[in-house]
Amino acid sequence: MIRIFALIILLIPGALAAFGIKLMRDMTFGILQAPFPYLWLQFLVGLLFFVGGLAFVAGFIFHRDQKRNKVQTRFKK
C-alpha cells in the first residue's frame, strides 16, 4: 500500500513536468493555449512546471537513496 502511495506521489509532479514540456514546445511552434494571453507567459509557466516537477522527483529519489546509504560520503547526514 505504501509503494502505491509513493508511486502516486511521484506521478503527479511527473505529469506536471510533462505538461510543462508540452507548453514550452507549443510556444516554440507558436501555438497559444487557452488560459495564457502571451506566448512568453506560456513558456515561463511551462518552465516552472518542468523545473518544479523535476526537482520534486529528483529530491524524492535523493532522499530515498540517502536513507539507504547509497549516496556519496559528502551527501550523507
Side-chain angles (χ1 to χ4, degrees):
M1 185 69 176
I2 293 174
R3 289 185 182 191
I4 293 173
F5 185 65
L7 178 67
I8 292 171
I9 289 175
L10 284 178
L11 284 179
I12 293 170
L16 277 178
F19 183 66
I21 290 173
K22 180 197 176 306
L23 287 176
M24 291 188 293
R25 185 199 60 188
D26 286 349
M27 181 274 194
T28 304
F29 293 118
I31 302 169
L32 188 62
Q33 297 296 328
F36 303 107
Y38 305 110
L39 283 173
W40 60 268
L41 182 63
Q42 178 178 323
F43 182 81
L44 286 178
V45 170
L47 186 65
L48 286 175
F49 281 173
F50 174 68
V51 170
L54 185 66
F56 185 86
V57 171
F60 187 89
I61 292 171
F62 179 74
H63 179 70
R64 184 197 64 187
D65 287 348
Q66 196 176 27
K67 284 185 358 187
R68 296 180 182 180
N69 291 327
K70 293 186 177 187
V71 294
Q72 294 179 359
T73 56
R74 64 181 174 164
F75 295 120
K76 293 183 181 180
K77 290 183 178 179

